[in-house]
Amino acid sequence: MTSSSSDRPLLGRRSLLGLGLGLGLGASFALAACGDPGQAGTGGSAAGGTLKWGWALPTSWDPVFSSAGWDVHSLSLVYAGLTKLDEQGTAVPALASAWKFSTDGTSVTFTLRPGLTFSDGSPLDAAAVKKSLDRGRTEAKSLVAPQLTSVREVSAPDAQTVLLELSRPDYQIPNLLAGKTGMIVNPKAFESDAAGLATRPAGAGPFTLTSYTQNAKAVLRRNPAYWDASAIKLENFEVHPLPDAATVVAGLQSGQFDVAQIPGSQVAAAKAAGLEVQVIPSLVVAVLDVNVEKAPFDNPKVVEALKFAIDREALLKTQLFGYGEVNHQPFPKGYVGYDPASADLYRYDPAKARALLTEAGHPDGVDLTLTTTAAQGLPEQLQAQLKEVGIRATIDVVPAAQATQIVYIQHAKALFTDQFAGRDSAAQAFQVLFGEQGLMNPGRRTPPELAAAVEQVSRTPLDSPEYPKVLRAATALAVRTMPNTFLYSVPRLLARRKSVSPVPAFTAVQRFEGVTAS
């Protein structure tokens, strides 16, 4: 089965907070020009214009040590993978023109496009792909290694063939390799100065980083050697930190940004200012991480009470100004893993929440701590809602830079406000949310039946008619057995100047093929 000819249902992307890797504040780097115009091939000569994107700068430009799922958007500008996800989240060819699984699903062979190069002109052949994937699998403290545990060996039988031998059937591999996990890094760079990749990416993406000022701006130029260069119409690209909600519209009007993420509260102002606004469905979902090793959530009845105590409709209206949808599960409507039977599983029911607290031995209510990185907004609204059923929540604010260490590494908090944006494969999303080593599973418990259901997801070919049913069954089991409390899906709200053409509505990772700016 080759991916290039099938229409497969999807899979998708991130955790807003990851494992924070500091690079030092205020560092500024100028990068040598990369890319050989003589190798432009399909690059063409019609590209032009500059796009300034108000979004987010990555925690690291090295995908192996990038610590936030959010980073994938910026990293996709400078790196390419064997596959990519289309607008529906289906794995389609990228550096690889096709792939094929063995009959038993324990190996997959990728065929590379001919004549590929990295942005510095180095050959991007099977040997380079092998070295890059092996680095992700084996490098000490690699943050993508947990996603590659099913890969037993990578080999390069010839210059255009990459063979992945698997320890078990895993049909999620093409989706998995579409994200950070599969971004191909130039071996020439990590073999000579691996640490330098944190600020000087070495990839084969649509753009090449030319200068970088940490926490301020990344300047990129079109890569004429990119495998799909003819689809890239922009000559220059800039990435800026996400603007403050109060100033983002003014920044767009002044030309400080051409495209920027905006909160729902600013949509009306953006439209009134003559800006175009796109509402792009995404895989981001607001969620509460619950640690069942910490009281009072060591009692399952309290966990269940929490889920019924939240008025998600009210949260959505206030926090997102109605943009998005109430959600009780990790996948949005329209996604292959969305389980209709779980749509209203924990509909707001304060009476039931109070009854569950009584069953848990707390007839007079219970006290707990709600940890967050910003007290105002969602935490305060949750605090007020929980008080109505007898859950007295004290808000605990921790610095965003320390939250990952405190919540995900030390597992020191009982309840944490978070956002999850999926991953490039559904099985990977399950691992992050519900796996025994999952970042967003601080209690580190996974029911055996759920682990078996997720294993079945990996063992089912994506183009099998059984795949949607298998995936939805795993979703249904997860939301009923795990403590994660999902709140609402968060769309990507992008405002843009009229001089910029519409931005493609990619569900998982924002891409810019075909975008023009004048």
Side-chain angles (χ1 to χ4, degrees), residues 345-409:
L345 189 61
Y346 299 107
R347 179 176 288 276
Y348 181 48
D349 191 337
K352 186 167 186 175
R354 286 189 287 267
L356 286 165
L357 287 177
T358 299
E359 291 178 33
H362 300 288
D364 299 321
V366 65
D367 297 297
L368 55 80
T369 299
L370 173 63
T371 301
T372 184
T373 57
Q376 296 181 334
L378 177 63
E380 290 179 332
Q381 191 173 6
L382 284 169
Q383 182 185 49
Q385 289 187 0
L386 296 176
K387 183 179 179 180
E388 293 297 316
V389 302
I391 299 177
R392 298 174 291 272
T394 299
I395 296 176
D396 169 36
V397 181
V398 298
Q402 299 175 21
T404 292
Q405 182 68 27
I406 294 170
V407 177
Y408 298 138
I409 305 303

Side-chain angles (χ1 to χ4, degrees), residues 147-189:
Q147 316 306 329
L148 292 167
T149 55
S150 68
V151 179
R152 180 170 55 83
E153 183 180 1
V154 182
S155 61
D158 58 56
Q160 286 182 249
T161 304
V162 179
L163 174 64
L164 273 62
E165 299 283 356
L166 310 176
S167 59
R168 54 181 171 79
D170 189 353
Y171 291 98
Q172 298 277 308
I173 290 294
N175 285 82
L176 178 68
L177 296 182
K180 284 197 301 180
T181 303
M183 289 179 176
I184 305 302
V185 182
N186 190 343
K188 182 179 175 181

Side-chain angles (χ1 to χ4, degrees), residues 127-143:
V129 172
K130 169 181 164 53
K131 287 182 179 181
S132 180
L133 293 179
D134 279 343
R135 175 175 180 256
R137 293 195 308 124
T138 63
E139 184 74 18
K141 298 183 180 180
S142 165
L143 298 182

